[in-house]
Amino acid sequence: MNNKVLDCIALTIAIIGAINWGLIGFFSFDLVALIFGSMSWISRIIYALVGISGLYLFTFYMYAGGTSRD
């Protein structure tokens, strides 16, 4: 199975999470909490998806040495 779609989804979710963490670090502004509520069930799902995406992206280190994924 071609994982390029999964890779792009995971990378997009991780980038959104990174932007949210940047907002928290620089401005003490949690965008996810603002939109979905502080630790509501949907915000917890979003935080969990960001964490799972980050763990999935660890597999990219296997390919960082220049080997082909195909």
Side-chain angles (χ1 to χ4, degrees), residues 30-47:
D30 189 349
L31 186 61
V32 174
L34 176 75
I35 295 171
F36 300 108
S38 180
M39 294 313 270
S40 68
W41 63 272
I42 193 147
S43 65
R44 287 174 165 252
I45 290 171
I46 291 169
Y47 292 132

Side-chain angles (χ1 to χ4, degrees), residues 22-33:
L23 288 171
I24 292 169
F26 288 118
F27 306 111
S28 297
F29 178 74
D30 189 349
L31 186 61
V32 174

